[in-house]
Amino acid sequence: MTHAPLTLAQEFVLLASDRETHKRKKPAKSYLHTYAAGAVLIELLSEEIVRINDKGKVEAARHEAVTDDAAALMLDLLERRKPQTLKKWIQSFYSQSKVRSALFRMIVDPLVASGAMTEESYQVMLLFPASRYVPTADSKNRIVERIRAELLENGPVDRQTALLALMLEMSKLVRNYFSEYEGNELKARLARLHEEQGEQWKSIRQIRKAMEELNAVMVSAAVSASV
Amino acid sequence: MQSELVTVSELVQLSGMRYSTLKYYTEIGLLPFVQLDAGLVRRYPRIRALERLEDIRSLKDKGLTIQQIVEHYSAGPVG
């Protein structure tokens, strides 16, 4: 069986939108969408299609045609809008539901088309029709198995696998899929990656910083929402 | 015996690798198996599977990622 390669954002969405693994608290749609938008930006940063300039603002590093719709929309937004910091971009995705929903649909539509996710209809408070995306067990397991096979065994780690594990760590999703022992091993391995694969990981510091900024925005949004 | 078939649990014990890793290698076509009709149980030819795992280990030691190892086998005849 062959599987089309998924983007970082698609893999993150498959793992983050799984309601089964969120026993205590289901992820709010706005958080999930904003993290997914952040994943699109992080992937573009890691591919060096986008960079953070000397003033700390996000800009296109090279004009390249991308085949992924969500990445194409993100590049279009970067070109059309005033340059701003990554933190500001994340804040704008969080506050502008129209943009983040459009990005999210572009991320999930291919997943629904390929059968990796299904779209379920439900009613909010038994009154208002709504829909949610549910990942299939196979699609989730395959990603988790890949993370185990790469990060918890010896050998080099693919860039996307490491970025995904970093995102899971930052968004506190590691414990949903890995035991405490495995989670600690993952964390330790991620910390060692810079030394092990220094050449391929030149931009990891910048990406880690980008993820920290993404996470900081989401944490402050959560605090504001709870007061 | 070349034809001896083992389960994934036995292969975990023989290889010392994680169950999830063997399952992943199987899913992406790195590990040869036969599927018996009844219950669709996957069985692995012991010697071939262990040789393949050793081969994968040595390719990883040479710096190949799993994706590159898949491409390596796709490029040549798969054992």
Side-chain angles (χ1 to χ4, degrees):
Chain A
M1 192 172 169
T2 56
H3 295 263
L6 301 178
T7 63
L8 174 69
Q10 286 172 330
E11 292 194 323
F12 180 77
V13 164
L14 281 172
L15 297 185
S17 58
D18 179 22
R19 295 171 64 83
E20 287 297 308
T21 60
H22 298 83
K23 301 283 183 213
R24 288 187 204 147
K25 195 181 172 196
K26 311 292 181 212
K29 198 180 259 188
S30 53
Y31 288 9
L32 179 61
H33 289 194
T34 308
Y35 265 114
V40 176
L41 257 180
I42 284 162
E43 190 159 26
L44 287 169
L45 265 172
S46 83
E47 287 169 357
E48 296 175 357
I49 296 172
V50 157
R51 67 177 166 223
I52 295 172
N53 67 20
D54 297 343
K55 292 176 184 167
K57 296 187 174 167
V58 184
E59 64 180 16
R62 55 179 202 261
H63 294 276
E64 187 167 301
V66 288
T67 51
D68 174 54
D69 286 347
L73 175 59
M74 185 65 79
L75 285 172
D76 188 46
L77 288 170
L78 289 175
E79 269 179 26
R80 281 192 290 115
R81 292 192 179 176
K82 204 176 94 180
Q84 49 188 351
T85 62
L86 188 104
K87 197 171 171 179
K88 290 273 182 202
W89 273 111
I90 301 297
Q91 282 168 338
S92 75
F93 294 136
Y94 186 68
S95 59
Q96 294 170 21
S97 65
K98 204 172 166 185
V99 176
R100 67 163 194 258
S101 295
L103 270 167
F104 192 76
R105 279 217 73 100
M106 287 177 178
I107 294 166
V108 295
D109 279 351
L111 295 173
V112 174
S114 70
M117 272 189 141
T118 53
E119 191 173 359
E120 276 184 2
S121 299
Y122 69 104
Q123 286 180 320
V124 179
M125 292 156 63
L126 303 171
L127 277 176
F128 309 104
S131 66
R132 64 178 162 232
Y133 295 95
V134 182
T136 63
D138 275 357
S139 60
K140 281 177 309 181
N141 292 343
R142 198 180 166 83
I143 298 168
V144 174
E145 282 163 8
R146 193 185 82 229
I147 296 173
R148 282 204 175 93
E150 289 198 38
L151 281 158
L152 299 181
E153 303 275 1
N154 292 330
V157 179
D158 187 66
R159 182 176 57 182
Q160 184 161 325
T161 309
L163 289 177
L164 180 63
L166 272 173
M167 281 205 74
L168 293 178
E169 190 200 336
M170 298 273 179
S171 56
K172 305 214 180 316
L173 283 170
V174 167
R175 287 301 306 277
N176 293 15
Y177 293 99
F178 300 91
S179 67
E180 189 176 354
Y181 175 77
E182 285 180 325
N184 290 337
E185 270 198 39
L186 266 185
K187 208 172 171 178
R189 184 75 199 278
L190 286 170
R192 287 199 308 271
L193 266 183
H194 196 199
E195 293 164 31
E196 289 176 15
Q197 291 176 239
E199 262 312 293
Q200 295 104 302
W201 289 93
K202 279 179 185 162
S203 56
I204 200 164
R205 198 170 300 159
Q206 196 179 43
I207 289 166
R208 189 177 260 278
K209 191 169 176 286
M211 285 192 194
E212 282 165 0
E213 287 188 350
L214 162 65
N215 212 40
V217 173
M218 299 315 292
V219 169
S220 68
V223 171
S224 317
S226 66
V227 287
Chain B
M1 271 190 301
Q2 182 68 28
S3 60
E4 188 186 349
L5 297 176
V6 295
T7 63
V8 67
S9 306
E10 288 165 332
L11 200 55
V12 167
Q13 288 188 343
L14 291 166
S15 66
M17 296 184 85
R18 281 182 171 76
Y19 169 84
S20 63
T21 300
L22 298 183
K23 198 163 167 279
Y24 179 64
Y25 286 172
T26 307
E27 295 292 330
I28 60 174
L30 277 182
L31 210 49
F33 68 92
V34 290
Q35 195 148 19
L36 305 179
D37 285 346
L40 300 172
V41 179
R42 285 171 179 170
R43 306 270 175 178
Y44 299 84
R46 184 173 64 89
I47 293 172
R48 267 181 66 206
L50 288 172
E51 280 173 357
R52 173 55 63 90
L53 289 174
E54 198 44 53
D55 210 14
I56 292 170
R57 220 187 307 247
S58 98
L59 289 168
K60 277 181 138 192
D61 287 346
K62 285 178 188 163
L64 268 67
T65 63
I66 294 176
Q67 187 51 44
Q68 288 167 332
I69 295 171
V70 172
E71 286 158 16
H72 166 83
Y73 286 120
S74 306
V78 177

